[in-house]
């Protein structure tokens, strides 16, 4: 048996990608276009002892040719990941859960009302995405429902986040004509979409590919509220090319295990000033000669961003977890 398995150790090319995983079962889209349910073989299970799921949505996997009577197959191995979004599986547990792997781009979907997205939420998300090395684009959705003042606010936010380096786009998820650029952008990527419940994530995915017919609106939210077990991300293959990873029940990224001294590295505008502070171990809080604080005072760094930074620095680990946008 081991001889047979050894054949697969790093020698066979991946032939599929994981669309969905429930811990025991993996739904895999094979390169042939066929989907199948898979289990994972024992060795991978051992490797995965530190994680609740050794393989995650977005992983490229090697699926064995053999099919059992029920049509199930076995995942033998997986490709080295470009990145992975990982969280602690529970607050106290040391075990990790991999939420998604190989995320080329994250869309953070934001609305100004119904629901309201706070700036601290956006900033926490961006910090997490930076820590996982995932580029993020902010999508301002529901632009059809904003009055002039609200639209000005959206424009101001777009100006702020674009100046920091995050691309932004206004969309109306219910109007497919506003999202052609997104469809083109996703074409050759695995894109994850996050944001508060009700911002319109599933609506956007449906507009990108009406064939998917995801649940939207009240139904999906009522469903989620009653659901206390862990929910898993699900990846959808778009007709127009590329993949989009929906993260139901997950409010966004959680900020786990970020060492305080590195948090400022995940704020690009602070990172740019790293060598400008008087002390090289400056935490940008109360130290004299701090270039970050000077930049906040001069308006080069936005006050709201700095406030989120200070909050993150002041939270203890459990608090960080509780408030973490990953839930
Ligand atoms: N006016 C307007 N309504 C929208 C727009 N996009 C989505 N909606 C509505 O917002 C509601 C929530 O949309 P969903 O797509 O279910 O939101 P979601 O982000 O998937 O929510 P969860 O699955 O709970 O996380 C639905 O009633 C949509 O019709 C938009 O651009 N304009
Ligand atoms: Mg949804
Ligand atoms: Zn400083």
């Amino acid at each position: 048996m081991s001889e047979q398995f050894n054949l697969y150790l790093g020698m066979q090319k991946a032939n599929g990608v994981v669309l969905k995983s429930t811990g025991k079962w993996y739904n895999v889209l094979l390169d042939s276009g066929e989907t199948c349910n898979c289990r994972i073989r024992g060795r991978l299970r051992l490797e995965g002892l530190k994680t609740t799921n050794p393989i995650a949505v977005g992983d490229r996997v090697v699926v064995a040719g053999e099919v059992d009577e029920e049509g199930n197959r076995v995942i033998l191995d997986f490709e080295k990941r470009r990145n992975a979004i990982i969280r602690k599986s529970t607050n106290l547990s040391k075990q990790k859960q991999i939420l998604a792997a190989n995320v080329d781009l994250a869309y953070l979907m934001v609305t100004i009302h119904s629901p309201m997205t706070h700036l601290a939420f956006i900033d926490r998300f961006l910090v997490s995405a930076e820590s996982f090395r995932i580029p993020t684009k902010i999508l301002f959705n529901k632009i059809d429902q904003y009055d002039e003042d609200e639209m000005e606010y959206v424009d101001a936010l777009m100006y702020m986040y674009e100046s920091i380096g995050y691309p932004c786009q206004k969309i109306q998820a219910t109007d497919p004509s506003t999202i052609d650029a997104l469809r083109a952008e996703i074409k050759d990527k695995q894109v994850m979409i996050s944001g508060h419940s009700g911002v319109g994530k599933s609506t956007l995915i449906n507009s990108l590919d009406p064939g998917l017919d995801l649940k939207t609106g009240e139904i999906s939210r009522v469903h989620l509220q009653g659901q206390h077990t862990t929910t898993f991300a699900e990846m959808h293959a778009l007709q127009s090319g590329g993949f989009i990873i929906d993260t139901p029940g997950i409010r966004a990224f959680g900020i786990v295990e970020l060492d305080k001294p590195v948090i400022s590295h995940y704020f690009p505008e602070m990172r740019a000033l790293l060598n400008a502070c008087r002390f090289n171990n400056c935490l940008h809080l109360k130290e004299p000669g701090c270039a970050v604080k000077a930049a906040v005072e001069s308006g080069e760094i936005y006050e709201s961003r700095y406030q989120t930074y200070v909050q993150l620095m002041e939270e203890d680990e459990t608090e960080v977890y509780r408030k973490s946008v990953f839930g």
Side-chain angles (χ1 to χ4, degrees), residues 22-33:
T22 57
K24 276 193 181 126
W25 286 100
Y26 295 81
N27 187 247
V28 174
L29 174 65
L30 296 170
D31 294 342
S32 63

Side-chain angles (χ1 to χ4, degrees), residues 10-195:
M11 295 176 75
Q12 195 151 314
K13 274 197 157 169
N15 56 350
V17 63
V18 177
L19 295 181
K20 198 175 176 178
S21 114
T22 57
K24 276 193 181 126
W25 286 100
Y26 295 81
N27 187 247
V28 174
L29 174 65
L30 296 170
D31 294 342
S32 63
E34 181 195 345
T35 53
C36 58
N37 282 321
C38 300
R39 287 188 179 273
I40 54 174
R41 78 160 213 236
R43 186 180 70 85
L44 292 178
R45 224 170 252 298
L46 281 178
E47 278 178 7
L49 276 183
K50 283 191 172 147
T51 54
T52 54
N53 58 330
I55 293 179
V57 166
D59 266 326
R60 293 276 305 160
V61 290
V62 180
V63 177
E66 302 86 56
V67 184
D68 73 12
E69 312 83 63
E70 277 108 50
N72 303 313
R73 301 204 194 200
V74 177
I75 295 174
L76 301 169
D77 212 339
F78 65 102
E79 254 178 28
K80 195 171 179 304
R81 299 180 176 117
R82 297 193 295 282
N83 60 29
I85 298 167
I86 298 169
R87 69 164 182 178
K88 285 197 277 185
S89 60
T90 63
N91 193 356
L92 297 172
S93 139
K94 289 248 183 301
Q95 270 208 328
K96 306 275 172 58
Q97 186 193 2
I98 310 168
L99 282 163
N102 303 321
V103 179
D104 298 301
L105 177 65
Y107 286 155
L108 174 59
M109 193 180 257
V110 165
T111 51
I112 302 310
H113 67 70
S114 324
M116 156 85 149
T117 306
H118 292 282
L119 295 190
F121 177 87
I122 298 177
D123 292 330
R124 280 164 184 266
F125 182 96
L126 295 173
V127 166
S128 296
E130 291 281 341
S131 77
F132 293 120
R133 295 174 208 285
I134 298 170
T136 302
K137 178 175 194 171
I138 306 175
L139 302 179
F140 291 88
N141 191 32
K142 308 200 185 184
I143 52 163
D144 55 304
Q145 62 170 27
Y146 302 143
D147 64 21
E148 213 174 305
D149 287 350
E150 287 165 335
M151 207 55 129
E152 260 178 37
Y153 181 58
V154 169
D155 287 334
L157 293 185
M158 286 181 65
Y159 183 84
M160 167 165 81
Y161 285 109
E162 281 186 334
S163 77
I164 298 165
Y166 298 105
C168 296
Q169 193 177 324
K170 289 183 201 169
I171 60 161
Q172 181 186 341
T174 45
D175 175 4
S177 73
T178 67
I179 58 167
D180 288 342
L182 298 184
R183 201 179 285 111
E185 185 171 55
I186 299 168
K187 204 172 170 34
D188 53 359
K189 294 187 179 72
Q190 290 188 173
V191 178
M192 167 166 156
I193 185 158
S194 299

